Protein backbone atom coordinates (compact mmCIF):
# COMPACT_ATOMS: atom_id res chain seq x y z
CA UNK A 1 0.00 0.00 0.00
CA UNK A 2 2.84 2.41 0.78
CA UNK A 3 4.15 2.27 -2.80
CA UNK A 4 0.69 3.13 -4.13
CA UNK A 5 0.42 6.21 -1.91
CA UNK A 6 3.88 7.43 -2.90
CA UNK A 7 3.10 6.92 -6.57
CA UNK A 8 -0.18 8.84 -6.25
CA UNK A 9 1.55 11.66 -4.38
CA UNK A 10 4.31 11.89 -6.99
CA UNK A 11 1.70 11.93 -9.79
CA UNK A 12 -0.20 14.74 -8.04
CA UNK A 13 2.99 16.82 -7.73
CA UNK A 14 3.87 16.25 -11.40
CA UNK A 15 0.34 17.21 -12.45
CA UNK A 16 0.58 20.46 -10.44
CA UNK A 17 3.96 21.28 -12.02
CA UNK A 18 2.57 20.62 -15.51
CA UNK A 19 -0.46 22.83 -14.84
CA UNK A 20 1.77 25.63 -13.57
CA UNK A 21 3.99 25.40 -16.67
CA UNK A 22 0.94 25.68 -18.95
CA UNK A 23 -0.46 28.63 -17.03
CA UNK A 24 2.59 30.87 -17.33
CA UNK A 25 2.30 34.62 -17.44
CA UNK A 26 2.47 36.19 -20.90
CA UNK A 27 5.84 37.68 -21.73
CA UNK A 28 6.86 40.84 -23.59
CA UNK A 29 9.45 40.53 -26.37
CA UNK A 30 11.17 43.47 -28.06
CA UNK A 31 12.39 43.56 -31.64
CA UNK A 32 14.87 46.40 -32.08
CA UNK A 33 14.92 48.14 -35.45
CA UNK A 34 18.33 49.62 -36.22
CA UNK A 35 21.11 49.65 -38.79
CA UNK A 36 18.51 48.72 -41.43
CA UNK A 37 17.64 45.41 -39.72
CA UNK A 38 15.20 43.78 -37.29
CA UNK A 39 16.96 42.25 -34.28
CA UNK A 40 16.35 39.43 -33.69
CA UNK A 41 15.67 38.41 -37.29
CA UNK A 42 13.71 35.39 -36.06
CA UNK A 43 11.67 35.45 -32.86
CA UNK A 44 9.71 32.60 -31.28
CA UNK A 45 6.95 33.49 -28.81
CA UNK A 46 3.99 31.79 -27.14
CA UNK A 47 0.37 32.62 -27.82
CA UNK A 48 -0.65 35.47 -25.55
CA UNK A 49 2.81 37.03 -25.50
CA UNK A 50 3.29 40.65 -26.57
CA UNK A 51 5.76 41.56 -29.29
CA UNK A 52 6.98 45.16 -29.50
CA UNK A 53 8.92 46.60 -32.42
CA UNK A 54 10.95 49.65 -31.43
CA UNK A 55 12.52 51.85 -34.08
CA UNK A 56 15.90 53.13 -32.93
CA UNK A 57 17.08 53.78 -36.48
CA UNK A 58 17.59 57.26 -37.93
CA UNK A 59 15.11 56.59 -40.76
CA UNK A 60 11.45 55.50 -40.66
CA UNK A 61 10.47 51.85 -41.15
CA UNK A 62 7.34 49.70 -41.34
CA UNK A 63 6.39 46.30 -39.93
CA UNK A 64 4.42 44.73 -42.75
CA UNK A 65 3.31 41.10 -42.40
CA UNK A 66 3.16 38.79 -45.42
CA UNK A 67 -0.35 37.65 -44.44
CA UNK A 68 -1.62 41.24 -44.34
CA UNK A 69 -2.41 41.15 -40.63
CA UNK A 70 -1.32 43.84 -38.20
CA UNK A 71 1.21 46.24 -39.55
CA UNK A 72 2.65 49.65 -38.84
CA UNK A 73 2.44 51.98 -41.80
CA UNK A 74 5.19 54.22 -40.51
CA UNK A 75 7.46 54.04 -37.45
CA UNK A 76 9.63 57.09 -36.93
CA UNK A 77 12.67 56.98 -34.64
CA UNK A 78 11.41 56.28 -31.11
CA UNK A 79 8.05 54.86 -32.24
CA UNK A 80 6.87 51.43 -31.08
CA UNK A 81 4.32 48.96 -32.43
CA UNK A 82 2.92 46.31 -30.05
CA UNK A 83 0.80 43.28 -30.87
CA UNK A 84 -0.41 40.31 -28.83
CA UNK A 85 0.24 36.94 -30.49
CA UNK A 86 -3.20 35.35 -30.84
CA UNK A 87 -2.67 32.64 -33.49
CA UNK A 88 -0.07 29.90 -33.79
CA UNK A 89 2.02 29.89 -36.94
CA UNK A 90 4.99 31.37 -38.72
CA UNK A 91 4.81 34.64 -40.60
CA UNK A 92 7.40 36.75 -42.35
CA UNK A 93 7.37 40.52 -42.12
CA UNK A 94 9.32 43.22 -43.86
CA UNK A 95 9.82 46.95 -44.18
CA UNK A 96 7.94 48.38 -47.16
CA UNK A 97 10.52 51.16 -47.48
CA UNK A 98 13.53 48.84 -47.38
CA UNK A 99 12.74 45.47 -49.05
CA UNK A 100 15.99 43.87 -47.85
CA UNK A 101 14.73 44.13 -44.25
CA UNK A 102 12.96 40.80 -43.65
CA UNK A 103 12.33 38.88 -40.42
CA UNK A 104 10.21 36.02 -39.06
CA UNK A 105 7.77 35.72 -36.16
CA UNK A 106 7.01 32.20 -34.90
CA UNK A 107 4.04 31.81 -32.54
CA UNK A 108 3.72 28.47 -30.69
Amino acid sequence: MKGGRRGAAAFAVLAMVAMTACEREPRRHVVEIGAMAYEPAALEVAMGDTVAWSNGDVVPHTVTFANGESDADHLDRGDTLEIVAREAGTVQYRCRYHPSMVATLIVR
Side-chain angles (χ1 to χ4, degrees):
M1 236 20 204
K2 282 185 183 179
R5 286 187 187 152
R6 277 191 221 156
F11 178 77
V13 169
L14 287 175
M16 286 175 39
V17 168
M19 284 176 46
T20 303
C22 292
E23 297 173 6
R24 71 167 184 77
E25 288 292 316
R27 296 184 180 135
R28 185 174 187 272
H29 308 269
V30 177
V31 177
E32 298 289 341
I33 303 171
M36 302 296 282
Y38 299 104
E39 181 60 41
L43 177 64
E44 186 172 327
V45 303
M47 284 196 306
D49 285 359
T50 297
V51 180
W53 286 265
S54 179
N55 186 7
D57 215 339
V58 295
V59 297
H61 294 288
T62 71
V63 178
T64 305
F65 289 90
N67 64 4
E69 305 232 351
S70 201
D71 77 334
D73 289 334
H74 186 88
L75 293 174
D76 284 319
R77 183 182 186 117
D79 287 349
T80 299
L81 165 71
E82 287 194 7
I83 66 163
V84 175
R86 302 255 184 237
E87 266 185 54
T90 300
V91 64
Q92 271 198 335
Y93 60 92
R94 63 182 176 81
C95 175
R96 274 194 313 238
Y97 305 144
H98 310 101
S100 64
M101 290 178 60
V102 178
T104 305
L105 178 63
I106 304 156
V107 181
R108 303 264 182 232

